Amino acid sequence: MRIDVLTLFPAMFESPLSYSILKRAQESDIVEIVLTDIRDFATDRYRKVDDKPYGGGPGMVMMPGPVFDCFEYVEKLSPEKGRVILLTPQGQKFDQKKAVELSKEKRLILIAGRYEGFDERIRIGLCAEQISIGDFVLSGGELAAMVIVDAVVRLLAGALGDEGSAGDDSFSEGLLEYPQYTRPEVFRDMKVPEVLLSGDHEKIARWRRQMALERTKKHRPDLLKNNF
Ligand code: ADE
């Protein structure tokens, strides 16, 4: 997979992309992540990318020119057309189902905005899908783009390596994940449930399913309503 990110702050991505699964996935060519600075497409000598909103009001709005020019440049960097996503709190809510859907694409082009928002002609003209990572407002789309990159890349074949598969993750079956334990067998008087030491794989699978159901019922009953 190739992921292009259009952003005013490419440096914000350096640390999250340099550790653990995201780092290894890039090193082993499972994903190529390319950052492009929207400010490089500003046309005036102050490298201006935002301006006051028509009609008045607080804050600044992302100008369409630099975003369009940046997008048209990035689009041509690879023959694969790609799925274009604008990060905005006005978008459709991101969830595990969407992560799985996006992980099947060959190319994603993520556009992270700043300020009070995008000039509406960016939304209209780029025909981008709009995605929000939750009902709260971030200072910009960068963290949202990172969340999507992380959730998608770990689903790519080979990305988790020895750490196992994403199949048991919370939400992968519409349920929260079952409780996990590792050594020691007893920690501060809390014992690992007997069933997990039994070696009976069928019994363990049943117990885990039961625990996942109970946990979901207790903490996220909305998930059960949606899926069963
Ligand atoms: N930009 C600002 N807030 C956001 C959110 N919740 N999701 C995606 N992009 C955003």
Side-chain angles (χ1 to χ4, degrees), residues 64-129:
V67 178
F68 267 76
D69 289 348
C70 182
F71 177 76
E72 280 157 8
Y73 164 83
V74 167
E75 217 185 3
K76 291 191 200 100
L77 293 178
S78 159
E80 193 68 48
K81 196 138 179 40
R83 188 150 160 181
V84 185
I85 295 166
L86 209 60
L87 284 317
T88 158
Q90 283 112 43
Q92 205 192 12
K93 192 112 57 88
F94 186 66
D95 58 14
Q96 190 64 18
K97 191 165 151 246
K98 182 63 93 180
V100 171
E101 192 187 310
L102 297 182
S103 73
K104 294 180 178 146
E105 300 285 340
K106 287 207 165 59
R107 186 182 188 197
L108 301 177
I109 303 178
L110 307 179
I111 307 173
R114 276 269 146 180
Y115 315 118
E116 290 304 304
F118 294 103
D119 181 301
E120 193 61 21
R121 290 162 295 186
I122 295 172
R123 290 177 215 278
I124 300 167
L126 294 184
C127 289
E129 182 174 342

Side-chain angles (χ1 to χ4, degrees), residues 86-91 113 131-145 148:
L86 209 60
L87 284 317
T88 158
Q90 283 112 43
I131 295 185
S132 162
I133 62 158
D135 291 339
F136 41 79
V137 181
L138 300 165
S139 321
E142 293 80 11
L143 289 169
I148 290 178

Side-chain angles (χ1 to χ4, degrees), residues 148-201:
I148 290 178
V149 168
D150 188 282
V152 168
V153 170
R154 64 189 295 287
L155 293 173
L156 300 178
L160 292 187
D162 289 341
E163 287 171 33
S165 93
D168 280 352
D169 288 342
S170 286
F171 311 116
S172 65
E173 271 194 281
L175 294 177
L176 299 182
E177 202 192 357
Y178 49 79
Q180 296 276 22
Y181 292 86
T182 185
R183 280 187 287 192
E185 231 176 275
V186 182
F187 176 73
R188 301 197 179 186
D189 287 339
M190 293 178 279
K191 218 180 152 315
V192 174
E194 211 58 57
V195 59
L196 298 178
L197 311 171
S198 69
D200 183 337
H201 297 298

